[in-house]
Amino acid sequence: METIEEQSKTEMSIMSKLPTRICLVGEAGRDAETLQAAESFGMPVIQSETGLDIINDTDWRTFYVLQDFEDEIFDAIHKQKECILGPPALKYAAEMKQTLGQNTRPIYNYAMRGVVTCFTGIRKKDELTKLVNLIHSMGGCIKKDLNTKTTHLICNHSGGEKYQYAKTFRLTVVRPAWVYAAWSARNSLGFEATQDNFTKAHRLKAFEGQKICFFGFPAEEHQHMVDVLLENGGVCAELDDPECSHVVVDEHTTVSKPEPKNHNTHILKSDWFWYTIQNGYANEMDYLFGDYLDSITNTPSTDRRDSLPISFNKRKRKRFSQRIQLEGTPLGSGKRRSSVSDAGLLSVSNSFFDCTTSPDKLENDKLLHVEPEVSEATPTKKSMRFNHFMDFFTTESNYVGILDTILNLFKNKLEELAETNDPLLNKSEIKSIFGNFLPIHEVHQSMLEHLRKLHANWREDCLIGDIIIQHRDDLIKAYPPYVNFYEQMKEQLQYCDREYPRFHAFLKINQTKPECGRQSLQDLMIRPVQRLPSISLLLNDILKHTANSNADHARLEEALKAIKQVTLHINEDKRRTESRMAIFDIFNDIDGCPAHLVSSNRSFISKCEVNELSDSLSGRGDILLLYLFSDSIELCKRRSRGFNTAKSPSTAKTHKHIKLISLNTIRFVIDVTDSPRAFGLLQRGEKEKLYTFSIIDEETDKLVYLKKLCMQIAAHTCRTDADKMLLSRTSLELEVDISDVNVSTLSKAFKLAAKTRLKVGRAFSFNKTPNKLKRAVSTMMTSPFGSTNSLTPASQLAQMRLASCTNINEVADEDCASMRSNSPSTQSELLVVPPLSVQPTRKNKAVVGRI
């Protein structure tokens, strides 16, 4: 008797010998593209409203093409085990020039072609059956258990063996909504359910389906962890919630195990939470808080300092500080000491217990407590010079330990992950954070080795200052790039911390490790910025207790000068860097600015806001900005806000380029002596040009600014007579009007009105306009006050004020004017000469006095 498999194979072999045809059912037959795709296979194509009329025809093997896979017609044909295709599947096979195959399962499209799925946590049989049918209809495959061919795990919540396996082997974990959304897009040609932008919206989040309680954390940290939990699909719960699945405990402040209402709740260290964010899954059994408490109880006190909660260390810290004072160390000497020296006795974790001369020695990721090796040459009674040397040695040792932590715990780990398929940061971001770090680490490692040799062979006449002097050049090379780009590095670090949740979790995990002493990476990265001032203070302390006859006295003084030289190099490098950054900002703010303004050989000196007194650049009274560079002056004008917004609302340029003047073309800088703010620039050329300005900024001292300008011109032209470039002249000699060009806002209003009139006039095209219309329009656009160029602002104000008044004489004058001749000459006279009532008038002095 044949088995079911043998019967199916027999049926398939019989069917393969039959002639094949395509039947377009219902709407599929009325689609021109589907019909064209069917005809491309070179077999008979028939159309039917239901397809049921030919279902019993056993002489043909028929491929039914249906638009709807959920109606009664589909069910009836599917029960007969006929081959059913959707229009997208037929079009895909025609486009790829494939055969229709022998598949007995209905195939609507190939959106899940190559997908092998597995389910977990879906208990409803109806939902599971529907998901299976939809995946098969889109060309996917389903397996009961996970294996090496599985590509996707479908589940409703995180956790479980299958979820752990999927996360371990980087399989895609999605919700059932992924299948439903792919089915909704089934008619889109070229759609693939495995596309990253589509799958991303349906990935299962790290804490989806979990209810988590946070216990023992400070309020700010607690709120932060709640926010991260909600972003990752979890729900915040209370300790007495019976549905609470996990309790996350701050092991640094909690001394006893909390008791949740649900006895199946996992009580875990905070590391579990952050590891789950970083890797997608963390096994609860590796982070049990109870095991952590047991390990503290069974660990010798000398090895568990950094693991103890804060409250455990208070009494020991107090006893230790008292013991230090009794032993006659610098802390107990009774003299005032710098905070840097005291900080030297602190370890990376800010605990006196962790004070060690070699924090870079690690065993099992913990700092070893190594006592200073006392050499035979070390005197029994320690001198103050030796004690201050030990401050320097200890702080340098701790500092190098911090640098080792940054290198090994952060930089190297991130670079290793960047080489994998799952990086936390890309190589460019890692370089922007740690790019200037290695030179500092290398130079201080070398300094520490020299200090260790001095400590091992201590003598009162040993040369401590030589260590700084020998490393002066390396310090000059290492520190300026790091210090001057620290702010940019910090901004990049904060951006990555904010934008990449897995990187944020990575930082949080490392922050809780003993090597970091609960300090963030940003806190550790600022240490190089603070190190040079502390070295200077430490060397000063050593120098104070070094006799003048000691050979090291002169060496220490030279070492202090070397540290000061490094600081000067940092400041100079920072000035150059800021100058170059300022040039970029200036260039981006000026519309039409020459591209060659941005140059590595050019540096920004100063900025000055002025009014133009001449009329050869932008116009008398215009407010200009003078940007002084090392070799040129950029003149630009601030754009009018209202006009600029109306003209081009999207523009980001705030200034407009006027002129770029090279300093070697300026012959003289002229001080206008009868004005406290006016000055001029005489430029060489075929015809010399004089540009005059008045300084607006009251805080800018004119003489100081002009001398600075002369000095810069002399430096650029390699001249030593900068004082001869400054001339003193009066406004009469220069024929310059130094009257205030910015008396009131009214003058600006008149000026803007005049310019607007010209622009409106240019907007009309009179090329084909009759002469009469030209005269009419020009008459309408002429100012009712006549020409205002020759009037003072006070006169203009009087005109505007009085023109609004009703005057009987003026009405009479208007009546007389209407009776006069209407000739053009008469009209022009009437327009140019204002009525008597609006002409400037002066009040009687006696009347003014009475008022």
Side-chain angles (χ1 to χ4, degrees):
M1 189 172 184
E2 293 183 346
T3 63
I4 296 176
E5 292 182 358
E6 291 174 346
Q7 288 178 0
S8 62
K9 289 181 181 179
T10 304
E11 291 176 0
M12 291 296 295
S13 62
I14 293 172
M15 292 180 65
S16 62
K17 297 178 182 179
L18 296 175
T20 56
R21 64 183 177 181
I22 299 174
C23 177
L24 304 180
V25 180
E27 292 295 329
R30 288 185 280 274
D31 183 61
E33 293 182 358
T34 304
L35 179 61
Q36 183 180 357
E39 292 174 348
S40 67
F41 289 95
M43 59 180 69
V45 178
I46 60 175
Q47 298 183 22
S48 173
E49 282 300 318
T50 63
L52 301 178
D53 50 343
I54 61 170
I55 198 169
N56 295 321
D57 190 352
T58 57
D59 296 334
W60 290 83
R61 184 186 174 211
T62 307
F63 290 92
Y64 294 87
V65 181
L66 278 73
Q67 186 76 32
D68 192 351
F69 271 35
E70 298 176 352
D71 61 0
E72 296 177 353
I73 297 175
F74 171 82
D75 293 336
I77 298 176
H78 184 45
K79 286 181 181 178
Q80 297 297 322
K81 297 182 180 180
E82 297 288 346
C83 296
I84 303 176
L85 297 173
L90 182 71
K91 295 174 185 177
Y92 177 83
E95 182 181 356
M96 303 303 293
K97 297 181 180 180
Q98 297 177 351
T99 59
L100 296 179
Q102 305 291 334
N103 195 355
T104 57
R105 286 176 181 163
I107 300 292
Y108 192 87
N109 63 17
Y110 292 99
M112 290 191 179
R113 190 183 188 93
V115 172
V116 180
T117 63
C118 183
F119 294 94
T120 184
I122 300 176
R123 306 302 180 190
K124 296 181 180 179
K125 186 176 180 181
D126 294 342
E127 181 183 7
L128 187 61
T129 303
K130 184 176 181 179
L131 289 170
V132 169
N133 291 333
L134 292 179
I135 292 172
H136 282 156
S137 298
M138 291 183 283
C141 181
I142 299 166
K143 297 293 181 183
K144 182 179 180 181
D145 297 316
L146 292 167
N147 55 40
T148 56
K149 294 182 180 180
T150 307
T151 60
H152 292 70
L153 177 66
I154 301 174
C155 56
N156 283 316
H157 61 83
S158 60
E161 293 182 2
K162 288 185 177 180
Y163 181 83
Q164 182 179 358
Y165 178 93
K167 283 298 179 181
T168 302
F169 293 97
R170 303 296 179 185
L171 303 183
T172 303
V173 183
V174 292
R175 308 182 197 92
W178 173 68
V179 179
Y180 297 131
W183 182 249
S184 299
R186 61 186 178 276
N187 291 315
S188 300
L189 295 178
F191 167 75
E192 294 182 2
T194 55
Q195 294 173 349
D196 289 339
N197 55 354
F198 176 76
T199 306
K200 185 178 180 180
H202 303 284
R203 287 182 183 272
L204 193 74
K205 295 183 178 180
F207 297 112
E208 203 151 334
Q210 308 291 351
K211 298 188 75 173
I212 299 175
C213 170
F214 299 104
F215 184 84
F217 293 94
E220 185 177 352
E221 181 68 9
H222 182 276
Q223 184 58 47
H224 172 62
M225 296 181 79
V226 169
D227 294 340
V228 174
L229 174 67
L230 298 177
E231 289 175 3
N232 287 273
V235 177
C236 186
E238 297 297 330
L239 189 63
D240 57 354
D241 189 342
E243 295 183 356
C244 179
S245 59
H246 299 78
V247 176
V248 179
V249 179
D250 184 358
E251 64 271 23
H252 298 284
T253 59
T254 307
V255 297
S256 61
K257 189 176 178 180
E259 297 181 0
K261 195 169 185 179
N262 186 349
H263 296 294
N264 295 322
T265 300
H266 297 285
I267 303 175
L268 309 168
K269 297 190 301 177
S270 59
D271 284 359
W272 171 83
F273 181 78
W274 296 115
Y275 267 111
T276 303
I277 296 291
Q278 181 182 340
N279 301 322
Y281 177 79
N283 190 352
E284 290 90 347
M285 301 307 294
D286 296 334
Y287 302 93
L288 294 176
F289 182 66
D291 293 347
Y292 169 75
L293 290 179
D294 294 340
S295 66
I296 291 177
T297 306
N298 300 325
T299 303
S301 61
T302 55
D303 294 333
R304 60 187 175 98
R305 304 183 183 91
D306 292 314
S307 301
L308 288 174
I310 294 172
S311 59
F312 287 7
N313 278 329
K314 288 182 179 178
R315 289 190 299 274
K316 289 189 176 183
R317 192 177 297 121
K318 183 177 179 181
R319 288 198 300 268
F320 185 77
S321 61
Q322 291 172 350
R323 181 170 60 84
I324 288 177
Q325 293 179 4
L326 294 175
E327 289 178 351
T329 60
L331 282 176
S333 62
K335 294 185 178 181
R336 181 184 179 276
R337 298 183 43 75
S338 67
S339 59
V340 178
S341 301
D342 295 343
L345 295 174
L346 293 174
S347 73
V348 180
S349 59
N350 289 333
S351 172
F352 281 101
F353 289 104
D354 304 331
C355 178
T356 171
T357 57
S358 55
D360 53 328
K361 297 181 180 179
L362 301 176
E363 181 179 319
N364 297 327
D365 294 332
K366 291 185 179 180
L367 289 174
L368 290 175
H369 181 71
V370 181
E371 296 296 336
E373 299 176 0
V374 181
S375 64
E376 296 179 359
T378 303
T380 305
K381 185 178 180 181
K382 302 181 178 108
S383 66
M384 290 303 297
R385 172 175 158 82
F386 175 78
N387 289 334
H388 286 291
F389 164 76
M390 284 303 299
D391 286 348
F392 185 23
F393 180 29
T394 306
T395 56
E396 185 68 15
S397 182
N398 286 329
Y399 177 60
V400 173
I402 292 172
L403 300 182
D404 287 339
T405 298
I406 295 173
L407 181 68
N408 299 322
L409 210 58
F410 294 94
K411 183 178 183 295
N412 291 346
K413 291 285 181 64
L414 289 171
E415 289 177 344
E416 289 173 6
L417 291 172
E419 298 295 334
T420 65
N421 295 327
D422 194 27
L424 296 180
L425 299 178
N426 59 46
K427 293 181 180 180
S428 175
E429 290 165 335
I430 296 172
K431 185 177 180 181
S432 63
I433 296 173
F434 301 101
N436 298 317
F437 172 76
L438 280 181
I440 291 178
H441 180 254
E442 292 171 359
V443 67
H444 280 278
Q445 271 191 325
S446 176
M447 287 173 59
L448 181 60
E449 287 301 318
H450 285 76
L451 287 172
R452 281 180 180 148
K453 291 177 182 178
L454 281 186
H455 178 262
N457 304 282
W458 173 258
R459 297 190 312 275
E460 282 296 318
D461 60 346
C462 64
L463 302 178
I464 303 172
D466 273 357
I467 297 176
I468 301 297
I469 297 169
Q470 291 169 10
H471 294 85
R472 173 171 45 198
D473 294 340
D474 293 331
L475 291 170
I476 289 174
K477 291 178 182 178
Y479 270 93
Y482 186 92
V483 175
N484 292 331
F485 286 95
Y486 173 77
E487 290 299 325
Q488 290 85 337
M489 179 275 294
K490 186 174 73 172
E491 290 176 3
Q492 180 67 38
L493 178 59
Q494 291 173 344
Y495 170 82
C496 295
D497 187 13
R498 185 175 61 253
E499 296 296 324
Y500 305 137
R502 294 178 62 239
F503 177 66
H504 176 74
F506 171 79
L507 296 179
K508 285 291 186 181
I509 292 167
N510 287 334
Q511 186 174 342
T512 61
K513 292 183 179 179
E515 301 94 299
C516 291
R518 306 200 71 187
Q519 296 183 78
S520 66
L521 176 59
Q522 184 174 323
D523 294 334
L524 299 177
M525 294 290 281
I526 201 175
R527 295 300 182 89
V529 179
Q530 302 167 339
R531 184 55 185 165
L532 287 180
S534 69
I535 290 178
S536 181
L537 292 174
L538 290 165
L539 291 178
N540 265 315
D541 286 343
I542 298 173
L543 181 62
K544 288 177 185 177
H545 296 89
T546 302
N548 293 339
S549 58
N550 194 323
D552 194 32
H553 191 278
R555 294 292 188 178
L556 287 170
E557 289 180 338
E558 190 176 349
L560 285 168
K561 291 179 182 178
I563 295 296
K564 186 176 181 181
Q565 186 179 357
V566 176
T567 307
L568 291 174
H569 272 80
I570 291 173
N571 294 335
E572 179 62 22
D573 188 73
K574 184 176 183 180
R575 188 193 64 78
R576 287 197 299 266
T577 302
E578 291 177 347
S579 174
R580 289 167 185 165
M581 296 298 292
I583 293 176
F584 277 106
D585 293 338
I586 293 169
F587 177 79
N588 291 328
D589 284 342
I590 301 175
D591 186 20
C593 184
H596 62 268
L597 179 70
V598 179
S599 172
S600 59
N601 298 322
R602 180 176 289 119
S603 58
F604 171 68
I605 307 299
S606 65
K607 177 182 76 171
C608 184
E609 191 172 16
V610 298
N611 277 122
E612 185 182 0
L613 297 178
S614 56
D615 199 16
S616 52
L617 289 170
S618 175
R620 176 176 169 79
D622 283 351
I623 299 177
L624 304 179
L625 279 176
L626 270 67
Y627 289 104
L628 175 61
F629 298 98
S630 56
D631 61 348
S632 56
I633 295 176
E634 164 65 19
L635 287 159
C636 62
K637 177 183 177 182
R638 183 178 284 115
R639 287 183 177 276
S640 172
R641 290 183 181 178
F643 183 77
N644 187 45
T645 304
K647 185 178 180 181
S648 52
S650 62
T651 182
K653 305 285 188 179
T654 58
H655 295 78
K656 182 181 179 182
H657 170 72
I658 301 296
K659 191 177 183 64
L660 182 64
I661 302 175
S662 177
L663 293 185
N664 56 19
T665 64
I666 297 177
R667 185 178 178 187
F668 291 111
V669 177
I670 303 174
D671 175 20
V672 181
T673 55
D674 50 345
S675 169
R677 319 296 296 168
F679 71 97
L681 299 176
L682 184 63
Q683 186 181 19
R684 293 188 185 92
E686 295 181 2
K687 189 176 181 181
E688 290 186 341
K689 296 180 180 179
L690 177 63
Y691 305 113
T692 52
F693 311 95
S694 176
I695 298 174
I696 295 177
D697 189 4
E698 295 181 358
E699 295 181 358
T700 302
D701 187 282
K702 183 178 75 168
L703 288 178
V704 173
Y705 178 76
L706 296 183
K707 288 179 180 179
K708 180 193 293 185
L709 182 56
C710 291
M711 291 292 293
Q712 194 57 45
I713 295 172
H716 179 61
T717 56
C718 300
R719 292 176 55 177
T720 58
D721 54 345
D723 54 334
K724 294 183 179 179
M725 300 189 64
L726 182 61
L727 300 181
S728 298
R729 296 290 185 271
T730 63
S731 58
L732 293 176
E733 291 175 319
L734 298 175
E735 298 181 355
V736 175
D737 183 6
I738 59 171
S739 60
D740 196 347
V741 292
N742 195 23
V743 174
S744 64
T745 11
L746 182 61
S747 61
K748 295 181 183 178
F750 271 99
K751 196 165 189 179
L752 181 61
K755 290 185 177 180
T756 305
R757 178 177 63 82
L758 293 175
K759 290 176 182 177
V760 173
R762 286 195 296 267
F764 289 93
S765 175
F766 296 122
N767 293 335
K768 298 181 180 180
T769 307
N771 292 334
K772 292 183 179 179
L773 181 57
K774 287 183 184 179
R775 288 195 298 271
V777 174
S778 63
T779 303
M780 290 168 59
M781 291 193 301
T782 305
S783 171
F785 304 130
S787 176
T788 60
N789 293 335
S790 59
L791 297 179
T792 63
S795 303
Q796 295 172 3
L797 179 61
Q799 288 183 354
M800 290 187 68
R801 183 176 66 249
L802 297 176
S804 62
C805 303
T806 304
N807 191 305
I808 297 175
N809 296 331
E810 187 174 319
V811 174
D813 291 340
E814 290 176 357
D815 292 340
C816 294
S818 63
M819 298 171 61
R820 293 176 186 173
S821 173
N822 291 327
S823 64
S825 60
T826 309
Q827 291 176 1
S828 63
E829 289 176 4
L830 290 172
L831 288 170
V832 172
V833 182
L836 291 174
S837 62
V838 299
Q839 290 183 0
T841 58
R842 295 181 181 273
K843 292 184 178 181
N844 192 303
K845 291 183 180 180
V847 176
V848 175
R850 287 196 299 270
I851 293 175

